[in-house]
Amino acid sequence: MPAAAPAPPPSPSGARPLSPARKALIKLGLVRDIDLALHLPLRYEDETRIRPIAGLRDGETAQVEGTVVHSGVQQGARRQLKVLLDDGSDTLELRFFTFFPSHLKTLAEGAQIRARGEVRGGFVGRQMLHPAFQPAGGPLPEALTPVYPTVAQLPQAYLRRAVDSGLARADLSETLPPDAPPAPGARPLWPLRDALHFLHHPRPDVALATLEDKSHPAWQRLKAEELLAQQISQLESKRERDRLRAPTLAAARPAGGGLSLHEQLLAALPFQLTAAQRRVGAEIAQDLARSVPMHRLLQGDVGSGKTVVAALAAAICIDAGWQCALMAPTEILAEQHFGKLVGWLEPLLAPRGQRVAWLVGGQKKKERAAMLALVESGKAALVVGTHAVIQEQVKFQRLALALIDEQHRFGVAQRLALRGKGPGGLEPHLLMMTATPIPRTLAMSYYADLDVSTIDELPPGRTPIVTKTVVDSRRDEVVARIAAQVAQGRQVYWVCPLIEESEALDLSNATATHAALSEALPGVLVGLLHSRMPAAEKKAVMALFSEGVMGVLVSTTVIEVGVDVPNASLMVIEHAERFGLSQLHQLRGRVGRGAAASACVLLYSTGDSGRLGETARDRLRAMAETTDGFEIARRDLEIRGPGEFLGARQSGAPLLRFADLETDAALLAWARELAPAMLDRHPALARRHVERWLGSKSEYLKA
Ligand code: ADP
Ligand code: MG
């Protein structure tokens, strides 16, 4: 469904520059009437009642009317205006630290005043600091007064008027078809118009708690609407994709008989696939055999064996006579990740006259040109490199499958990059791999457009990793532990802190740690790896560690993903409080790959405050409590919220504003059921519904 162009903000003279308030409205995405109508209050103020002063309680916000019996400016440490109000039941002191001559006039003795503010108890009677005030006796509103989310340049009063006029003008006609399934819960959904009018101006007798927790029927309607819009647009893009065509890749025997590459690779593997690997392998093979492009996420914990599954998919593609691209986020990861796999595949491809092409940034011009020629001629059956492989001007002859590893954020960008890479209007299949699983609720809502395969089992023989958090001042004990591990022939990773602002600081810290550990561990080869080292040097260091010659490897986060040294049994993460949860989990996954008991030490520092921040503490606790990647992802979502978890701007998915995936699971299920029926039977209503909710938002998110 094409997104409607947002209506230009109404401007009386066209050319006149926008006022700051108008600009602020646009910044908030409040462009169309319906956007304003859907901008809902954060909370309400009750201006419908006048309360007797005698009944006011400390801390509540209230409105009173009375006569000014005293008014005067008090000099002293803080100059202030003090006004004493009497309503016959008791007196109330109004205090102002900033005031204008007009205040003095309105609040003169004898004046009848209506004041509104937070009540403070206190020994010397009740007070209000800086209350809002006006002459007494004006009409009282019949509804609660809405307080809207806003920004600095946008005063509440202006926003209230804008919302009211948007609400009056917007098209609020019903988009739910008469045959919609009943909404969860006992009551039918309110009409949208009633729900919106109610939420903007609720009657004062409403149970405020039901507005706060959004359980009120008016909120139910809004959340149902929002979820439905999201489900329809996700389903729409899935169907759009289903209209595209991809090469059908069925596992095939070579013409002259003999084993297929797929069979050869299976035979060459030094282990048996786990049941989970076989299951997801079959899911992928089924997708590849269809003429609709695959759009699948393969998720499985660190070390669960995703790469092999990807290699088998590549083999199916190559067997069918097509090219496959395999990508990792960085060059070093591409090499580490796929080194083993390429080692398995290359000897099998050579007899068929096929090659593996490497495409990485640091390549010599001549080598690169040769690789590009291999890709273009189709001789390279497998092309390995960074994401640039599909983004750059790499011309595939017959690309049919793109495999993207450790892609934390995926979606639109990759899909678009693949457009047109296949021959003759065919779209390549796409498989993305991640060790950071998407919690189920998110998968159902934000990634309804994505098929998910899950490896939920680790290869046999892995030992559970024990995780300990240790305060930085006990570093010496950690060093002693390292010495003990190395004495037993084990190896140790030490990951240095992430200082995002400064690569130089990262480096100096790693260098210092490297020097300190070298000194503390005489006779142990301590290596250093950081992102600025020349590729050849990195390779040499990695080789020494892989071969077991090097006991300790100090590194910046370049080993975050992909290193595979089963003899490593201890992972120390310095300044663990600075890392994100999924990153910590990835790092920890570098140990526990062999039979030896493994441990992860999270060294943390509390800095000057002497205490860890709340989110840092939550992250470290989650790490210590579980090694399950799914549980980690759930906690990560809890700590960060869906916005950051998803990286909304990048994924292009507008975030839910009102619905909560946990509490509104039943409404989500309702929306999932209704969405296909809307598209099939009521396409015009579906379009109007999505446009109402996402019409300008999608544009706004891309801005
Ligand atoms: P990840 O899912 O983190 O990418 P990898 O694919 O790198 O995991 O696999 C981790 C390690 O486990 C590799 O050394 C790989 O060769 C090995 N491996 C994969 N599958 C199995 C299996 N079924 N049995 C034993 N080892 C396996
Ligand atoms: Mg991997």
Side-chain angles (χ1 to χ4, degrees):
M1 187 171 308
S11 148
S13 70
R16 214 168 59 193
L18 296 172
S19 71
R22 205 138 288 269
K23 274 194 200 150
L25 280 181
I26 294 170
K27 198 166 145 206
L28 284 175
L30 305 179
V31 176
R32 308 168 303 165
D33 290 331
I34 188 67
D35 299 331
L36 286 158
L38 294 175
H39 192 63
L40 291 174
L42 280 177
R43 57 187 178 83
Y44 302 91
E45 289 178 353
D46 187 353
E47 296 177 347
T48 65
R49 288 185 297 163
I50 303 294
R51 303 268 310 277
I53 291 174
L56 300 184
R57 287 184 309 271
D58 183 38
E60 71 176 328
T61 296
Q63 182 168 258
V64 298
E65 277 188 4
T67 308
V68 175
V69 293
H70 173 81
S71 176
V73 176
Q74 195 176 63
Q75 307 294 342
R78 280 197 82 178
R79 194 168 167 267
Q80 53 179 297
L81 169 61
K82 283 189 173 182
V83 174
L84 196 66
L85 206 63
D86 189 336
D87 72 348
S89 75
D90 206 342
T91 58
L92 172 72
E93 186 178 63
L94 314 180
R95 297 170 61 181
F96 301 86
F97 293 104
T98 49
F99 52 93
F100 302 100
S102 62
H103 279 63
L104 299 175
K105 224 161 123 189
T106 317
L107 297 170
E109 269 165 44
Q112 306 277 320
I113 289 299
R114 178 183 297 170
R116 195 193 134 67
E118 192 181 323
V119 180
R120 295 216 191 160
F123 296 115
V124 286
R126 298 186 184 84
Q127 297 182 341
M128 279 184 189
L129 298 188
H130 285 268
F133 62 90
Q134 55 177 298
L140 288 169
E142 284 175 10
L144 299 180
T145 306
V147 179
Y148 294 105
T150 189
V151 289
Q153 270 78 39
L154 190 56
Q156 267 311 318
Y158 182 100
L159 184 53
R160 280 182 193 137
R161 281 196 304 275
V163 168
D164 279 342
S165 64
L167 186 62
R169 282 194 305 256
D171 171 13
L172 301 178
S173 58
E174 192 54 74
T175 48
L176 293 189
D179 57 350
R187 284 167 302 193
L189 287 174
W190 281 24
L192 178 66
R193 176 185 302 278
D194 296 357
L196 280 177
H197 279 278
F198 182 87
L199 290 175
H200 286 292
H201 301 290
R203 316 287 313 171
D205 58 0
V206 66
L208 275 176
T210 64
L211 295 183
E212 268 155 32
D213 70 6
K214 297 195 173 68
S215 63
H216 191 279
W219 269 121
Q220 291 294 307
R221 168 68 202 230
L222 266 290
K223 295 193 289 189
E225 283 262 315
E226 176 177 48
L227 288 165
L228 180 61
Q230 188 203 41
Q231 289 301 311
I232 294 174
S233 78
Q234 294 264 337
L235 188 60
E236 184 73 36
S237 57
K238 186 175 169 68
R239 291 185 173 184
E240 221 167 72
R241 186 163 47 78
D242 286 350
R243 285 192 281 273
L244 298 171
R245 286 290 157 260
T248 51
L249 308 174
R253 287 281 172 86
L259 291 180
S260 68
L261 184 61
H262 187 261
E263 290 165 325
Q264 285 180 301
L265 178 55
L266 267 180
L269 290 179
F271 47 73
Q272 295 277 313
L273 294 184
T274 62
Q277 283 171 317
R278 280 200 301 274
R279 175 172 44 76
V280 302
E283 286 165 6
I284 293 165
Q286 236 168 45
D287 278 4
L288 294 178
R290 298 176 61 210
S291 60
V292 170
M294 171 168 71
H295 187 221
R296 187 171 282 278
L297 178 68
L298 172 57
Q299 56 183 25
D301 219 335
V302 191
S304 63
K306 296 182 289 295
T307 320
V308 183
V309 173
L312 289 165
I316 294 177
C317 169
I318 296 167
D319 275 329
W322 294 79
Q323 287 174 295
C324 174
L326 185 52
M327 287 155 283
T330 67
E331 288 171 44
I332 185 161
L333 289 179
E335 286 186 26
Q336 289 171 13
H337 263 193
F338 308 131
K340 209 184 222 174
L341 179 160
V342 169
W344 287 328
L345 277 173
E346 215 156 19
L348 303 178
L349 287 172
R352 307 162 161 238
Q354 291 180 313
R355 299 275 311 270
V356 175
W358 282 91
L359 279 174
V360 289
Q363 251 164 344
K364 291 204 180 69
K365 252 205 168 116
K366 213 169 135 193
E367 191 188 345
R368 185 175 170 80
M371 291 295 177
L372 285 174
L374 279 179
V375 178
E376 201 168 343
S377 71
K379 227 173 153 227
L382 183 63
V383 184
V384 182
T386 60
H387 293 174
V389 164
I390 49 167
Q391 276 146 9
E392 277 173 17
Q393 297 311 314
V394 182
K395 295 194 187 57
F396 287 88
Q397 199 204 39
R398 292 163 64 72
L399 179 65
L401 174 61
L403 304 161
I404 305 185
D405 200 6
E406 298 303 350
Q407 182 62 27
H408 297 287
R409 293 169 168 178
F410 22 69
V412 187
Q414 273 75 32
R415 223 181 304 160
L416 291 184
L418 282 175
R419 285 273 140 91
K421 286 283 181 196
L426 290 176
E427 176 104 349
H429 297 279
L430 175 61
L431 179 68
M432 294 162 282
M433 293 172 267
T434 182
T436 310
I438 305 175
R440 212 179 69 88
T441 49
L442 278 189
M444 276 171 59
S445 57
Y446 290 99
Y447 294 106
D449 180 26
L450 194 68
D451 297 311
V452 178
S453 288
T454 304
I455 305 185
D456 51 7
E457 142 186 50
L458 292 178
R462 302 275 164 88
T463 50
I465 305 165
V466 177
T467 301
K468 287 226 159 66
T469 52
V470 176
V471 66
D472 195 51
S473 53
R474 289 171 51 200
R475 210 174 237 263
D476 288 350
E477 295 167 37
V478 177
V479 174
R481 187 155 177 185
I482 294 177
Q485 286 292 310
V486 176
Q488 288 172 34
R490 300 279 165 215
Q491 289 167 279
V492 179
Y493 293 107
W494 182 296
V495 177
C496 283
L498 182 77
I499 303 171
E500 274 178 5
E501 316 83 68
S502 163
E503 250 184 72
L505 270 182
D506 263 355
L507 179 54
S508 79
N509 191 299
T511 314
T513 302
H514 174 247
L517 286 176
S518 304
E519 199 183 310
L521 299 165
V524 177
L525 182 57
V526 181
L528 176 63
L529 191 67
H530 60 78
S531 50
R532 293 226 194 134
M533 278 162 53
E537 214 173 301
K538 282 186 205 168
K539 239 186 202 159
V541 171
M542 274 321 299
L544 285 174
F545 192 68
S546 301
E547 288 154 18
V549 181
M550 186 177 280
V552 180
L553 178 61
V554 176
S555 92
T556 54
T557 47
V558 286
I559 61 159
E560 185 185 338
V561 274
V563 181
D564 191 23
V565 179
N567 190 46
S569 59
L570 178 60
M571 163 69 66
V572 181
I573 304 174
E574 194 177 334
H575 278 299
E577 77 280 1
R578 294 188 192 165
F579 291 82
L581 193 46
S582 68
Q583 225 178 352
L584 289 172
H585 181 62
Q586 294 264 6
L587 285 168
R588 176 169 60 184
R590 297 304 116 204
V591 294
R593 300 192 153 220
S598 294
C600 174
V601 172
L602 302 173
L603 266 182
Y604 67 91
S605 153
T606 54
D608 298 335
S609 71
R611 303 192 315 145
L612 272 180
E614 194 181 332
T615 52
R617 208 177 46 228
D618 287 349
R619 287 196 298 256
L620 296 188
R621 181 177 303 142
M623 284 293 292
E625 284 174 4
T626 180
T627 53
D628 175 355
F630 284 85
E631 178 60 15
I632 295 269
R634 207 186 56 71
R635 303 251 195 134
D636 201 19
L637 176 64
E638 212 172 85
I639 294 170
R640 291 197 291 164
E644 277 192 58
F645 188 92
L646 293 170
R649 270 166 192 279
Q650 176 137 354
S651 75
L655 291 173
L656 291 170
R657 288 188 280 163
F658 306 131
D660 177 278
L661 296 175
E662 297 292 336
T663 42
D664 300 319
L667 282 175
L668 175 60
W670 169 85
R672 275 169 70 84
E673 185 188 338
L674 179 52
M678 293 273 296
L679 281 175
D680 293 338
R681 294 204 293 272
H682 310 283
L685 289 179
R687 183 158 307 125
R688 197 142 58 80
H689 189 89
V690 169
E691 211 166 295
R692 171 178 284 169
W693 279 89
L694 305 172
S696 70
K697 236 44 182 193
S698 48
E699 290 300 312
Y700 163 58
L701 271 163
K702 280 181 222 146

